Amino acid sequence: MPKYCCKMKKIFFCDNSLRELVNFREPVFNTFARRGIKIKLICPENREYTPTEKNVSVEPIYLSRSGMNPIADFIYFCKLVKLYIKEKPDYVFHYTIKPNIYGTLAAKLVGIPSTAMIAGLGYVFSNDGFRSRIGRVLYKFALRFSERILVLNQYNYDFVISEGIARKDQVILLKGGEGVDLNRFRIDCKDEVSNDSPVVVRQGV
């Protein structure tokens, strides 16, 4: 995370889902908001959400998460460019494949520094179809314009560098992951379970 973020007045978080953005990164953007930075969440509005911090707002923008329609993707890209020009954020954090590609390109076009998060390599790298190959080309082209690229494990770190997706000086490995808010995602042992039984609990969705 750039050290000069604390000097900024407006930061955007761009994702393909409001639900995931809030569930997994609300503590991050709320921390910025409490420092007086205006935060805007740029994503499809697929859940009801009332920000807990006054400096946080939502800008709904349609995005087909898994669609491969180039016209729809171009429209999404144009909407981001228009929004970035209008709002002039100081910095943008992009998450997931399409925001990483089109958001990074939009930010570069407007002259806004940005960071891309690669939480997982996804279908673009797990498949070898024509559309996936096109996606990989777009990924390689777009991410060269990202100031920093965050990855969560050593495999992804090595992969994006060895495949030429990113330069080594761009990539930051978050060795401990992004972290988990244990007050929100916690184990509630109301029922007795065997010590040999694994228990998986998902809360706060």
Side-chain angles (χ1 to χ4, degrees), residues 14-170:
C14 184
D15 205 332
N16 68 5
S17 167
L18 177 60
R19 181 178 57 247
E20 272 68 32
L21 185 54
V22 171
N23 276 349
F24 302 120
R25 298 179 179 102
E26 186 177 40
V28 176
F29 60 72
N30 275 350
T31 297
F32 283 125
R34 285 191 290 270
R35 294 176 180 175
I37 301 174
K38 292 187 181 298
I39 302 298
K40 185 158 285 192
L41 312 180
I42 315 300
C43 47
E45 198 171 26
N46 55 1
R47 62 160 284 180
E48 293 184 2
Y49 175 60
T50 301
T52 58
E53 298 292 332
K54 64 179 182 179
N55 284 328
V56 177
S57 62
V58 178
E59 181 75 29
I61 183 169
Y62 175 75
L63 165 65
S64 175
R65 297 175 63 178
S66 58
M68 300 295 289
N69 185 330
I71 296 177
D73 288 350
F74 181 70
I75 291 173
Y76 172 69
F77 167 73
C78 290
K79 287 182 178 179
L80 289 178
V81 171
K82 183 178 179 180
L83 181 64
Y84 291 177
I85 290 174
K86 176 184 176 183
E87 296 283 347
K88 297 181 177 62
D90 296 297
Y91 207 90
V92 185
F93 289 95
H94 297 108
Y95 300 88
T96 67
I97 292 175
K98 288 190 177 182
N100 278 347
I101 293 174
Y102 301 113
T104 299
L105 291 175
K108 175 62 178 179
L109 184 63
V110 178
I112 300 168
S114 66
T115 283
M117 158 68 80
I118 301 179
L121 295 176
Y123 69 90
V124 167
F125 297 98
S126 61
N127 296 300
D128 198 36
F130 175 74
R131 291 181 176 180
S132 293
R133 291 198 295 271
I134 294 297
R136 288 196 289 271
V137 171
L138 288 173
Y139 227 27
K140 287 183 179 182
F141 176 72
L143 291 190
R144 71 176 66 184
F145 302 116
S146 185
E147 186 177 66
R148 292 288 184 267
I149 298 168
L150 307 180
V151 297
L152 300 182
N153 59 63
Q154 188 67 48
Y155 176 82
N156 286 355
Y157 178 87
D158 295 336
F159 185 88
V160 298
I161 294 174
S162 64
E163 293 295 316
I165 299 169
R167 304 184 309 274
K168 188 173 183 179
D169 63 287
Q170 287 179 290

Side-chain angles (χ1 to χ4, degrees), residues 176-189:
E178 293 182 86
V180 176
D181 183 352
L182 296 180
N183 291 320
R184 183 172 185 177
F185 297 92
R186 63 183 186 276
I187 296 177
D188 188 0
C189 297

